[in-house]
Amino acid sequence: MWTEGVPVEDEARQQLINTARLPFIFHHLAVMPDVHLGKGSTIGSVIPTRGAIIPAAVGVDIGCGMIATRTTLAAADLPDNLHALRSAIERAVPHGRMVGRGRRDEGSWEKPPPLVNAHWAELLPRFRRLVEKYPRLANTNNHNHLGTLGTGNHFIEVCLDEADRVWLMLHSGSRGVGNAIGSTFIALAQADMRQHLANLPDRDLAYLEEGSSHFADYVEAVDWAQDYARHNRAVMMANLIAATSQVIARPFCVDVEAVNCHHNYVQKETHFGAEVFVTRKGAVSARRGELGIIPGSMGARSYIVRGLGNPESFCSCSHGAGRVMSRNEARRRFTVADQERATAHVECRKDSEVIDEIPMAYKDIDAVMHAQRSLVEVVHTLRQVVCVKG
């Protein structure tokens, strides 16, 4: 556990123990400093397995992660009033969710633009193979969600680094289709283990055994969803860059430094001389020299980091600050006035719908970074000036 100086709930500790006791866990669990209670397994944990995967540990936001790019713009190039920039970003990237009788989902495309269609064409052949086996996946908002942000803690930010250079950054995953894939295989794992669920400390630790048909299908489906998530972030970044160029007259370049990394995913890796499946549930790969992104909360710093390749962590680091309270608790405890004070320096929404994302609902990002100083080194420190929430 890399948790020195950061709080860890008793319930999260028990979840870690429950997971660690499963017979197919390889070597040990690695626990990141942003660890907190999750569904079945804790968020902020690295779960190496041999011969099995736990679908609920991977979760339903498969491939959720971050993308960031540094531009050639400087703080002085930004307008004094950033509202127009936030509005342009909100128009360029569908976000949130508003559905009801006679209303479409504003968080999806009504008519996907050519860029989305081009990315979807790359994903479509493998998706059709999945639908042949699991027809219900066809009835997801797959094409229309590609290049959209979603809800909850998904966000788009314009940031400044320590040298006042402008960065564009966003956080999202595989949207509705990833949720459907995750939910489908969580249910299949529980159905396959129906006779053994009573022996598990939590039914959400139900697993798929290697060699079974559902295991092979899950590996195929989760790999596709992770690709979808990467395409999703790439489309949004392209539209974010375009929106920024509409507002800022000065021409600029991007990809000066760029990072695109998952933090909810599973893949095969070699550790301690063995080939294993590594599930990172709220954790980022941090191989030696590998760049990653560790965002803070709304109003807190974020970090571009370089991995140190610590073998005990399975070459991983945290995926953010980590919550210290539930969304409902944050809504009970804080007010819009609290949100306004906490985000006074950021151009963002300041209303009752985003109180659950208030910075005080998260751990201290600086304490989290200090606790994992043996996992990563800081390359850039970012502070947000614009934030668009889902």
Side-chain angles (χ1 to χ4, degrees), residues 104-141:
R104 72 176 187 86
D105 180 359
E106 292 187 358
S108 68
W109 299 106
E110 190 168 18
K111 182 180 180 183
L115 178 62
V116 170
N117 294 337
H119 280 261
W120 179 245
E122 291 185 45
L123 293 162
L124 185 56
R126 289 163 61 208
F127 183 63
R128 283 176 173 154
R129 289 199 295 272
L130 292 175
V131 168
E132 285 176 10
K133 294 181 181 179
Y134 301 94
R136 72 175 289 250
L137 298 179
N139 299 320
T140 54
N141 212 352

Side-chain angles (χ1 to χ4, degrees), residues 14-335:
Q14 187 57 53
Q15 276 194 332
L16 292 166
I17 291 168
N18 291 345
T19 304
R21 284 177 172 161
L22 294 171
F24 49 84
I25 298 297
F26 171 77
H27 219 274
H28 64 275
L29 295 189
V31 184
M32 302 296 103
D34 58 340
V35 62
H36 57 285
L37 196 68
K39 183 172 181 174
S41 304
T42 55
I43 298 160
S45 55
V46 182
I47 307 168
T49 58
R50 296 186 81 176
I53 296 175
I54 310 164
V58 180
V60 295
D61 198 357
I62 300 168
C64 187
M66 301 283 304
I67 185 172
T69 185
R70 180 160 70 86
T71 75
T72 53
L73 294 170
D77 298 316
L78 296 176
D80 291 336
N81 187 330
L82 294 169
H83 181 73
L85 179 55
R86 175 164 74 97
S87 297
I89 294 168
E90 290 174 340
R91 288 192 300 271
V93 180
H95 58 284
R97 179 173 172 81
M98 186 181 292
V99 291
R101 187 172 302 215
R103 293 192 297 182
R104 72 176 187 86
D105 180 359
E106 292 187 358
S108 68
W109 299 106
E110 190 168 18
K111 182 180 180 183
L115 178 62
V116 170
N117 294 337
H119 280 261
W120 179 245
E122 291 185 45
L123 293 162
L124 185 56
R126 289 163 61 208
F127 183 63
R128 283 176 173 154
R129 289 199 295 272
L130 292 175
V131 168
E132 285 176 10
K133 294 181 181 179
Y134 301 94
R136 72 175 289 250
L137 298 179
N139 299 320
T140 54
N141 212 352
N142 39 71
H143 187 174
N144 287 1
H145 268 175
L146 189 59
T148 70
L149 188 63
T151 60
N153 63 352
H154 294 161
F155 62 80
I156 298 170
E157 289 183 344
V158 179
C159 304
L160 302 176
D161 67 12
E162 64 286 339
D164 272 353
R165 295 171 298 199
V166 175
W167 288 69
L168 304 176
M169 182 168 77
L170 62 88
H171 170 214
S172 192
S174 54
R175 304 291 282 113
V177 67
N179 187 300
I181 288 170
S183 299
T184 294
F185 284 94
I186 289 169
L188 286 171
Q190 291 173 347
D192 288 352
M193 293 194 68
R194 190 173 293 112
Q195 294 178 327
H196 306 287
L197 281 179
N199 298 323
L200 289 175
D202 187 324
R203 64 182 283 109
D204 284 317
L205 291 176
Y207 52 89
L208 297 170
E209 289 189 281
E210 194 165 9
S212 68
S213 62
H214 287 154
F215 181 94
D217 289 349
Y218 179 66
V219 169
E220 180 184 3
V222 83
D223 185 63
W224 181 87
Q226 288 163 190
D227 280 351
Y228 180 103
R230 198 176 292 278
H231 280 272
N232 186 40
R233 291 192 290 272
V235 172
M236 280 189 285
M237 180 57 76
N239 287 332
L240 170 57
I241 292 165
T244 304
S245 66
Q246 290 171 6
V247 175
I248 298 174
R250 179 181 171 179
F252 64 90
C253 299
V254 294
D255 293 334
V256 179
E257 287 182 78
V259 193
N260 191 350
C261 56
H262 298 319
H263 54 225
N264 280 357
Y265 69 112
V266 59
Q267 67 182 15
K268 261 190 179 177
E269 298 179 3
T270 300
H271 295 276
F272 300 100
E275 190 175 61
V276 296
F277 285 99
V278 177
T279 296
R280 291 188 175 91
K281 184 181 179 73
V284 178
S285 177
R287 296 189 301 269
R288 179 165 292 280
E290 184 176 24
L291 291 177
I293 307 169
I294 303 177
S297 59
M298 282 178 85
R301 285 182 287 276
S302 298
Y303 295 90
I304 306 296
V305 298
R306 183 180 291 114
L308 297 177
N310 188 315
E312 293 295 319
S313 73
F314 299 95
C315 299
S316 307
C317 66
S318 87
H319 82 310
R323 297 190 73 91
V324 291
M325 66 184 71
S326 70
R327 295 184 180 280
N328 287 336
E329 178 64 19
R331 292 187 191 102
R332 281 194 297 270
R333 189 176 298 190
F334 299 109
T335 65

